[in-house]
Amino acid sequence: MSLDAPSSAILIGFVVLSILLVLHKASRPRFPLDHYVPYVWAFFLVFNVAEFWSFEVAIWVLALLCFVSLKEFFTLVDIRWQDRWAVLGAYAAIPFTIYFIQIDWYGMFIISVPVYAFLVVPFLVALGGRETRGAVLSIGIIDFGLFLFVYCVGHLGYLALYSSWKALVVILGVIVSDLVATLVQSGRRPGLGRTSFRCLISIPLVAGLYWALADWTGIGTLHSVALGALTPILAAIGRYTIAYIESDLGVERESAVPGKGRIVDTLRSFVYVSPVAFHYVRYFEL
Amino acid sequence: MTRSRHWPSLRTLIHLLVLRPLLRLLFGVSVEGRENLEGLGQFIVAANHNSHLDLPLLFGVLPVRAIAETRPVAARDYFERRAVLFQLVRYLFSPVWITRGGPTEDALAAMRDALDQGKNVIIFPEGTRGTPGEMRPFRSGVGRLAEAYRDVPVVPFFLHGPERALPKHSAVPLPIWNRVVIGPPRRFTAGCTDIAAALERMVRELSQSETAHRHRRVQRSGRCLTVAVLGIDGSGKSTLSRRICEELSKRNRVLRVSDELEFYHEGSCTTLRSLPSEKVRQALARYTKTAKSLKHYKIPKLAELLLRDHLLGEVRRWHAPEIAVMDGSPLINMTAWARLYKEELHDPKIAGAAIRVLSGRDENLHDSAESLLRVPELSVMRRLRITRLHLPDAVVMLDVDPAVSMERIRRRGERVQAHETEDKLARLREGYLMVCEVVRSEFATPIRVLEGNLDLDRLTSATLEFIAEIDRPEARHVQ
């Protein structure tokens, strides 16, 4: 079986990440950005499955990733006992959202969470119990988690439906942005000035990467550069915003482990990039 | 050479291939301090206990070779209620069965047997699951065990997450990440009480480091204080409750739950629009007043009391009063009224058990408890899960001579109900006084018994004085 260049690149990327993953498990002390490897590996796994096996299977692996990240978010926040049904309802929204992607029902996918789920969650909170204090906060928390980790991340799956490479290049752009942010990092809390500085360094790198891969993604040169400039900006906004929220949730980035903020922290750059990149590609019919 | 020395048993394989992956996928488990279990031979695990998920979680972090060699302590009387669950737990975890409320020596002997056979033992020193997120004081059993087996190290565990994923009274688990923190193993030389205290301290230290950064929403003060005014018919409880509502409403938003729902604010009263359940309750109340005998009175009155209790929850939910004054307390009324129906059984022990069952405080009461066997109605209500009745924060009991009560009832000119005779009211009065004493002694609820023949002004000032004494923020229940 002969593979074309883009497919070979996806496969090689996956193999390299798998080796890094093994090293990640074995190495002490660990290398920089090591916590990032399992999640990027998971994304590459999704796209390899989509490329070489079946998109349907890949999209359900993405559903699992949404479930794991949403689960961590609900672990971090203070949900009340009577919010249990609403939280279960939020989990139940995952298969519906993913199924709409699988059958390419754009109209339903786009309103599934911001219309239907957002209407159902308050109802389930109201059904949950007698205590009304904190209901609005609970609804906000549950809706916010659902929006970020199912709806926003789900856009990446819809982008993969158009082309695995289009989705993958967005991920590569985010990885480059995060890599630059980590290498240029100084101090624990990112200030707006430092965030902008890192973003400015990332823009030419990511735009260059998108331009270089334009033939494989099928996105024209001009749009590749534009999307390449947009990705680091959105990744930086995501990092800044989620870091702010993490601070309220008590996540300590340096010591975060899965279940205590590691997954949310890793996905923070993706949540702003995914929907905007998807709608950019869709709007310009790239 | 036996097969078991080299090959894991089917039970171990189920743990490794089914339970552990399922736990990790559905809930997620992160472990800190796994190295503290390395190189240990036999050990005792002392862990906090808030959920049925604790047991699979603990087995999920044990070294593989320890799975078949570890036996948790479990309450036989609890698991025996569900045959399938009992068999499943017995096969998967091979517990050391104990009976709650049974002799402590029997429980300790069962644990000693397991340790003598070289098994590891998992013990939950709090004794029961308790309130989610709260750790109870450790009982001395774990200390006695560690004292008797000084060579066997005790490993403190702190489990964080199961109390949210599957708390007590929840049937459906919620996917929430769990955290297991394993402390360093320790051998003790002190006495049993000191060992239990030291272990509790160790687990609390693990818990403090683990929960220090938890996200917590800001708690608002101003919870609802529930005051019940009790007394036999004609004792004047409705008049008194109305009067104290008027007085209390000068500073608070007060709700009066009586035949009508009344909301008092700044001294004025508004009758609230009836909730749907309230309309049903009022219809039942009207029916009970026309009942020809106690037999016909029993079931409608019971239903009416249950609805009245439900109503308290509803009005708290929709009207958020600061103080709720109840004309009677469904839970206490129900218990006291048993005097008329089962006088021979109406003693403080049974009354205490009834209140425990009906208010959901019966975790230590097993099915074979004498009180449940003697009063089968309690078992039925437990099975029907009629176990969420409100115990008031404070009780005012108006003690009136039944002859005086009868005189007041006759003066009303209304139809005399089936139980409104001097003899029956005398028995009811005894019932109320006995139940009040039980509530005071067993549930630490403040009670004030007032002489009902006093004039209304003196009764009102005595009641307000009593409420002022107990109306501190920490005295208000969150339900």
Side-chain angles (χ1 to χ4, degrees):
Chain A
M1 189 179 73
S2 64
L3 295 176
D4 56 8
S7 302
S8 307
I10 291 183
L11 191 60
I12 291 167
F14 181 65
V15 171
V16 170
L17 277 167
S18 300
I19 294 167
L20 282 176
L21 188 70
V22 173
L23 288 175
H24 161 77
K25 293 282 180 194
S27 65
R28 272 185 202 174
R30 291 170 176 174
F31 48 87
L33 266 181
D34 68 338
H35 70 273
Y36 211 63
V37 174
Y39 308 103
V40 175
W41 179 86
F43 275 125
F44 265 76
L45 174 72
V46 172
F47 295 114
N48 271 272
V49 171
E51 186 72 14
F52 297 109
W53 187 10
S54 139
F55 175 77
E56 282 74 19
V57 176
I59 200 73
W60 288 101
V61 179
L62 187 71
L64 195 64
L65 193 68
C66 291
F67 171 69
V68 170
S69 51
L70 189 63
K71 187 170 66 178
E72 189 185 72
F73 178 75
F74 286 143
T75 306
L76 293 173
V77 295
D78 186 5
I79 42 176
R80 306 171 306 165
W81 187 84
Q82 57 261 49
D83 299 332
R84 299 173 69 78
W85 288 108
V87 172
L88 285 170
Y91 285 124
I94 298 175
F96 286 103
T97 310
I98 296 297
Y99 179 68
F100 298 139
I101 298 173
Q102 185 186 330
I103 60 171
D104 193 13
W105 189 0
Y106 173 77
M108 194 60 189
F109 163 73
I110 218 69
I111 60 167
S112 58
V113 169
V115 176
Y116 292 110
F118 283 7
L119 287 174
V120 169
V121 164
F123 175 60
L124 293 175
V125 168
L127 278 184
R130 292 168 171 176
E131 179 61 84
T132 51
R133 267 188 291 265
V136 173
L137 187 61
S138 292
I139 293 164
I141 287 173
I142 296 166
D143 282 353
F144 185 63
L146 191 57
F147 181 76
L148 285 188
F149 300 107
V150 179
Y151 189 65
C152 290
V153 176
H155 278 82
L156 214 50
Y158 218 120
L159 197 57
L161 181 71
Y162 293 164
S163 149
S164 299
W165 259 104
K166 284 191 176 75
L168 199 58
V169 83
V170 169
I171 291 170
L172 288 174
V174 172
I175 291 172
V176 171
S177 305
D178 280 353
L179 199 62
V180 170
T182 306
L183 295 177
V184 187
Q185 191 168 354
S186 58
R188 290 183 65 184
R189 284 288 310 283
L192 200 54
R194 277 197 295 274
T195 305
S196 311
F197 175 62
R198 287 177 214 146
C199 180
L200 283 175
I201 297 176
S202 309
I203 288 174
L205 292 173
V206 178
L209 177 75
Y210 282 23
W211 173 74
L213 296 173
D215 285 348
W216 291 0
T217 56
I219 301 173
T221 310
L222 184 66
H223 283 302
S224 287
V225 173
L227 195 58
L230 200 57
T231 300
I233 296 171
L234 292 165
I237 293 172
R239 274 196 302 274
Y240 185 79
T241 311
I242 305 294
Y244 184 76
I245 292 161
E246 280 174 359
S247 176
D248 180 36
L249 296 181
V251 174
E252 294 180 326
R253 290 197 67 214
E254 285 71 23
S255 58
V257 291
K260 288 189 86 176
R262 172 58 58 83
I263 301 169
V264 167
D265 186 63
T266 308
L267 290 179
R268 63 185 185 159
S269 306
F270 288 98
V271 291
Y272 274 68
V273 175
S274 308
V276 178
F278 167 78
H279 287 291
Y280 187 96
V281 169
R282 187 178 165 83
Y283 183 77
F284 290 106
E285 297 178 355
L286 302 173
Chain B
M1 192 175 292
T2 58
R3 184 179 68 93
S4 62
R5 288 179 65 183
H6 289 280
W7 297 98
S9 63
L10 179 62
R11 185 161 79 97
T12 306
L13 284 175
I14 292 173
H15 274 278
L16 293 178
L17 302 177
V18 181
L19 270 185
R20 285 191 181 188
L22 210 62
L23 265 179
R24 281 169 197 277
L25 181 70
L26 267 182
F27 301 101
V29 185
S30 56
V31 188
E32 187 184 319
R34 204 189 282 272
E35 65 279 1
N36 287 324
L37 290 177
E38 283 171 10
L40 287 183
Q42 194 182 13
F43 55 85
I44 298 168
V45 169
N48 61 315
H49 191 29
N50 262 169
S51 163
H52 283 322
L53 209 57
D54 292 346
L55 210 50
L57 204 59
L58 285 170
F59 271 80
V61 300
L62 287 178
V64 175
R65 62 181 165 69
I67 292 174
E69 299 300 319
T70 304
R71 298 186 65 191
V73 175
R76 186 181 197 109
D77 52 291
Y78 178 84
F79 286 100
E80 263 183 347
R81 289 183 206 163
R82 299 168 189 87
V84 176
L85 183 70
F86 178 74
Q87 294 301 338
L88 201 67
V89 169
R90 194 170 71 161
Y91 179 73
L92 287 175
F93 303 108
S94 186
V96 175
W97 293 116
I98 60 164
T99 303
R100 290 175 300 178
T104 314
E105 279 312 318
D106 289 358
L108 283 170
M111 291 181 232
R112 283 195 200 105
D113 282 349
L115 285 167
D116 288 341
Q117 290 164 17
K119 303 286 184 191
N120 312 313
V121 169
I122 295 176
I123 184 166
F124 299 110
E126 292 166 83
T128 184
R129 285 173 295 161
T131 311
E134 283 179 19
M135 208 163 86
R136 289 183 170 201
F138 279 16
R139 294 182 181 182
S140 62
V142 66
R144 291 172 69 178
L145 212 59
E147 189 183 23
Y149 293 84
R150 292 188 187 277
D151 293 338
V152 180
V154 184
V155 189
F157 274 59
F158 176 67
L159 308 172
H160 184 43
E163 79 284 358
R164 301 171 74 203
L166 189 62
K168 194 175 175 184
H169 301 312
S170 289
V172 183
L174 195 67
I176 289 281
W177 219 287
N178 295 288
R179 184 115 170 109
V180 182
V181 187
I182 306 170
R186 204 171 146 189
R187 291 184 174 85
F188 293 94
T189 51
C192 65
T193 317
D194 291 340
I195 294 174
L199 276 168
E200 185 184 332
R201 208 165 39 247
M202 288 167 82
V203 177
R204 281 192 193 279
E205 278 168 15
L206 296 177
S207 79
Q208 276 159 13
S209 64
E210 192 53 34
T211 55
H213 299 292
R214 271 272 294 126
H215 176 239
R216 302 235 182 262
R217 57 178 81 199
V218 178
Q219 295 291 327
R220 285 198 328 203
S221 58
R223 310 266 162 74
C224 179
L225 180 84
T226 310
V227 181
V229 182
L230 304 181
I232 56 176
D233 296 45
S235 60
K237 56 184 187 298
S238 300
T239 313
L240 178 64
S241 65
R242 194 174 294 117
R243 181 71 180 271
I244 59 172
C245 282
E246 285 166 4
E247 293 297 325
L248 287 170
S249 69
K250 289 172 184 168
R251 287 188 185 174
N252 301 283
R253 285 178 299 120
V254 186
L255 198 99
R256 179 167 170 265
V257 184
S258 181
D259 286 342
E260 297 283 339
L261 276 182
E262 293 169 343
F263 190 77
Y264 289 79
H265 189 48
E266 293 176 351
S268 64
C269 166
T270 322
T271 304
L272 296 173
R273 197 178 65 175
S274 295
L275 298 161
S277 53
E278 173 60 356
K279 288 192 185 297
V280 178
R281 188 196 71 79
Q282 285 172 351
L284 276 170
R286 280 195 296 275
Y287 177 76
T288 53
K289 285 185 180 170
T290 59
K292 289 174 187 163
S293 67
L294 277 180
K295 191 181 165 189
H296 292 104
Y297 188 87
K298 187 178 173 183
I299 299 297
K301 185 65 185 174
L302 180 69
E304 195 263 327
L305 285 173
L306 291 174
L307 279 171
R308 189 182 283 233
D309 190 82
H310 171 74
L311 191 68
L312 177 63
E314 291 294 296
V315 293
R316 276 176 165 185
R317 176 178 188 177
W318 297 109
H319 301 288
E322 288 161 318
I323 300 176
V325 178
M326 298 191 72
D327 188 349
S329 155
L331 177 62
I332 298 176
N333 284 15
M334 227 180 261
T335 317
W337 270 72
R339 189 79 163 192
L340 291 186
Y341 293 96
K342 290 192 179 255
E343 190 165 5
E344 70 286 1
L345 295 176
H346 204 242
D347 59 40
K349 197 177 169 189
I350 300 263
I355 293 172
R356 280 188 196 289
V357 169
L358 297 174
S359 64
R361 293 170 168 85
D362 59 335
E363 65 267 12
N364 290 330
L365 203 65
H366 50 86
D367 283 343
S368 57
E370 189 196 347
S371 43
L372 292 185
L373 293 176
R374 289 171 68 195
V375 188
E377 288 91 336
L378 278 181
S379 298
V380 173
M381 291 179 91
R382 200 184 199 189
R383 279 176 198 280
L384 293 174
R385 295 187 181 270
I386 304 173
T387 54
R388 293 286 181 278
L389 273 69
H390 296 89
L391 185 63
D393 298 322
V395 173
V396 176
M397 168 71 193
L398 282 179
D399 188 22
V400 179
D401 188 304
V404 176
S405 285
M406 280 309 299
E407 183 54 35
R408 288 177 181 173
I409 291 167
R410 280 189 210 101
R411 261 190 281 150
R412 280 182 203 158
E414 291 175 3
R415 179 181 176 145
V416 177
Q417 296 179 56
H419 64 281
E420 289 175 341
T421 64
E422 210 170 309
D423 166 53
K424 284 173 185 151
L425 288 182
R427 280 153 63 198
L428 258 183
R429 179 191 182 193
E430 285 167 16
Y432 274 120
L433 289 171
M434 191 263 278
V435 174
C436 282
E437 188 48 43
V438 170
V439 168
R440 188 210 313 262
S441 58
E442 288 192 35
F443 301 91
T445 302
I447 308 271
R448 180 66 51 91
V449 179
L450 298 174
E451 177 57 55
N453 294 328
L454 296 175
D455 66 77
L456 187 58
D457 287 340
R458 287 179 66 187
L459 283 174
T460 307
S461 61
T463 308
L464 291 173
E465 202 175 285
F466 171 59
I467 292 173
E469 278 171 27
I470 53 141
D471 186 17
R472 301 180 307 276
E474 63 272 21
R476 296 185 178 204
H477 285 186
V478 189
Q479 296 203 28

